[in-house]
Amino acid sequence: MTEKKARISIDREIEVSVVDERIYSSFIEHLGRAVYEGIYQKGLPVSDEDGLREDTIRLVREIGVPLVRYPGGNFVSGFNWEDSVGPAELRPHRIDPAWGVIETNEFGLHEFMNWTKKAGTKPMYAINLGTRGIEAARAIVEYCNVKGGSYYSDLRRKNGAEDPFDIRLWCLGNEMDGPWQMGHKTATEYGRLAAEAGRIMKMVDPSIECVACGSSGSGMPTFPSWEAEVLMQSYDTTDYLSLHTYYGNRDNNTPDFLASNIDMDQFIRSVVAVCDYVKAVKRTDKQINLSFDEWNVWYHSEEADKKLEKWVQHPHQLEDIYNFEDALLVGSMLITLLRHADRVKIACLAQLVNVIAPIMTSDTGAWRQTIFYPYMHASTMGRGVVLNTAVKVDTYESRHGDAPYIDAVVIKDEENQTLTVFAVNKDLEHPYEVTMDVRQFEGYTVKEHILMTHEDVKAVNTEQDPGRVAPVTVHTDTIDAGTLTMHLPAKSWNVIQLS
Ligand code: AHR
């Protein structure tokens, strides 16, 4: 197939923003086998003395996750945090109405904090503003962040943690705009509650940051008036507003599916506009930034989940098996997030293990799904400053509007002297020759080109065949007279790094 041509333009001085590393965060909910059998499973040869799976920890460290949102999700809106502390054998078994299962609370707050240390990550803790209110919000910040000498801080010490957990980032509930949410509220009701919860939490620990719930999707009927009203009520105590989105290829139209990040891009632009509108109304200098704290592909497991028996413990739930085209979209979504790095400061791939996740486990091992790779490349190589990246390329019609065949973003890291291009070629037939003027980066040479492509967009990785879809290194790119020429095969995820 003939190679088509595209051009990327950057300027070393024209920056979008420094990448906040929290843009590469993830999410673990008490849901399905995310916690139980995912990160915690007593008695396995791969589990340590605390029952934490070392094979999962290895992959979490490999993928690079600075922050993990926990413990939900829909789950959190009916959760009593007190159930998850103290001697494990005394903790109550509860029904979780959100997911129709039994939660044993065997794995709780202290176990999670222990896991974050071993996995080299940090917590982002969500409180229940569905069935609970500001008293529980106050108490958990005291439990986690006050040194000692008070009821809840001393309870933490009695439960084995002498030092405070020092949790910096708190989600004020989850998807409170959704009628499926336990304790679902109107924007005014939630905005008031978020304001008061955030206020009392910051009275306990003024150094924390709070994320208020935005819409659970841009398709919600209350979007974007929800955002405006929530911020009108809670502007002073809110630091970030959340966004959530999931996409699926339900009608098996790959070009349309791969264009879904156009919708994500528009969603971000709209939420930024609302934040800045409220900023103007409030006549304040304070800027609200975005926490895109749930994003991914999610649809493969929908039918299986409808058949699940109720009130069992940690069933196989939301276990999407990701194919190659899902990895391409995840790559494009990462590019979209990075292109908005000036306002998106936190983003969580939802989720991390077993439940709509890049990492899967069984009793005999753990393996990488297709989406593991773009996330890992972005997280480990996408540090530095995002440059304003213009891409001149043909477009195709999609249900999300005109879609460029190539998505790309360029990141410079002056300290380590690297320039990294992330690029997805969505053209299913044609390879692209992409050129970029790099005269401002004199002396830089092509260090590597990591490529992920597959002839079958539906190809998946399994425990038996874990390497079917995996990246390779190619040596196809050149720099000649200050022009970098990159070759992107049809349907491919690419990382080109100069140094
Ligand atoms: O990530 C799965 C679920 O998706 C979360 O529990 C909820 O917040 C969202 O609807």
Side-chain angles (χ1 to χ4, degrees), residues 89-264:
E89 62 284 4
L90 299 181
R91 297 181 197 163
H93 291 199
R94 303 260 191 211
I95 60 161
D96 165 19
W99 298 108
V101 296
I102 302 277
E103 170 58 53
T104 63
N105 287 301
E106 182 182 333
F107 185 95
L109 179 56
H110 290 246
E111 291 78 16
F112 178 68
M113 292 307 301
N114 183 27
W115 179 82
T116 58
K117 286 202 189 83
K118 291 189 180 175
T121 185
K122 294 251 176 332
M124 172 187 192
Y125 196 86
I127 62 162
N128 174 359
L129 287 186
T131 61
R132 305 195 76 187
I134 67 169
E135 170 56 23
R138 184 192 66 80
I140 181 137
V141 179
E142 179 184 329
Y143 187 93
C144 292
N145 286 9
V146 171
K147 206 162 179 292
S150 67
Y151 177 77
Y152 284 112
S153 57
D154 285 344
L155 187 60
R156 180 199 70 238
R157 294 165 68 202
K158 188 171 142 226
N159 288 335
E162 183 58 33
D163 293 331
F165 292 144
D166 196 25
I167 298 179
R168 316 273 15 109
L169 195 59
W170 296 77
C171 299
L172 304 174
N174 178 70
E175 294 190 347
M176 299 309 302
D177 63 322
W180 59 85
Q181 200 68 213
M182 291 177 276
H184 160 60
K185 292 173 177 52
T186 66
T188 311
E189 288 167 347
Y190 170 68
R192 283 289 305 128
L193 182 57
E196 290 309 313
R199 199 157 69 85
I200 202 166
M201 290 161 77
K202 287 182 174 182
M203 286 165 81
V204 178
D205 181 351
S207 67
I208 63 169
E209 291 189 305
C210 293
V211 183
C213 295
S215 294
S216 45
S218 58
M220 295 298 288
T222 46
F223 172 76
S225 57
W226 171 275
E227 278 71 4
E229 177 61 11
V230 166
L231 286 182
M232 283 304 288
Q233 298 293 339
S234 69
Y235 206 91
D236 290 349
T237 48
T238 292
D239 300 289
Y240 305 92
L241 194 62
S242 76
L243 301 84
H244 291 180
T245 201
Y246 296 97
Y247 298 109
N249 189 2
R250 293 180 181 81
D251 50 4
N252 200 14
N253 180 334
T254 299
D256 261 4
F257 172 65
L258 293 180
S260 303
N261 62 308
I262 294 176
D263 180 72
M264 185 188 211

Side-chain angles (χ1 to χ4, degrees), residues 27 29 31 69 72-75 99 174-175 180-181 216 244 246 294 298 318 350-351 355-356:
F27 175 31
E29 179 168 2
L31 161 56
R69 183 168 175 251
N74 295 338
F75 163 79
W99 298 108
N174 178 70
E175 294 190 347
W180 59 85
Q181 200 68 213
S216 45
H244 291 180
Y246 296 97
E294 287 188 32
W298 173 16
L318 276 65
Q351 297 192 11
V355 171
I356 45 173

Side-chain angles (χ1 to χ4, degrees), residues 246-420:
Y246 296 97
Y247 298 109
N249 189 2
R250 293 180 181 81
D251 50 4
N252 200 14
N253 180 334
T254 299
D256 261 4
F257 172 65
L258 293 180
S260 303
N261 62 308
I262 294 176
D263 180 72
M264 185 188 211
D265 179 79
Q266 193 49 51
F267 190 16
I268 294 171
R269 287 175 197 277
S270 302
V271 176
V272 167
V274 177
C275 291
D276 292 349
Y277 159 74
V278 181
K279 178 180 182 213
V281 173
K282 298 266 180 193
R283 288 159 172 73
T284 172
D285 290 336
K286 178 180 173 183
Q287 175 173 291
I288 303 289
N289 286 322
L290 311 192
S291 172
F292 215 126
D293 46 43
E294 287 188 32
W295 66 271
N296 203 347
V297 172
W298 173 16
Y299 75 107
H300 296 284
S301 56
E302 279 167 354
E303 288 310 310
D305 288 345
K306 284 183 195 152
K307 299 182 194 128
L308 284 176
E309 191 191 336
K310 277 208 162 204
W311 315 130
V312 296
Q313 293 176 21
H314 49 83
H316 289 253
Q317 215 165 4
L318 276 65
E319 296 205 2
D320 273 36
I321 304 303
Y322 290 115
N323 58 33
F324 173 57
E325 67 184 14
D326 299 328
L328 290 180
L329 181 61
V330 163
S332 282
M333 290 171 88
L334 284 160
I335 289 171
T336 298
L337 291 167
L338 285 166
R339 291 177 70 95
H340 287 286
D342 54 334
R343 296 305 288 270
V344 179
K345 299 297 174 188
I346 304 158
C348 305
L349 177 73
Q351 297 192 11
L352 187 55
V353 186
N354 287 333
V355 171
I356 45 173
I359 299 168
M360 294 298 289
T361 67
S362 73
D363 287 358
T364 44
W367 63 100
R368 303 165 188 82
Q369 294 232 56
T370 59
I371 64 170
F372 183 97
Y373 295 105
Y375 179 98
M376 176 185 74
H377 296 146
S379 177
T380 56
M381 300 171 81
R383 309 291 174 121
V385 175
V386 177
L387 295 179
N388 200 325
T389 309
V391 185
K392 198 160 167 37
V393 63
D394 296 343
T395 58
Y396 64 94
E397 270 177 41
S398 82
R399 72 186 165 94
H400 301 291
D402 283 349
Y405 278 109
I406 307 276
D407 283 334
V409 69
V410 181
I411 297 176
K412 67 167 182 180
D413 180 347
E414 300 277 11
E415 206 181 307
N416 294 306
Q417 297 196 317
T418 60
L419 190 69
T420 306

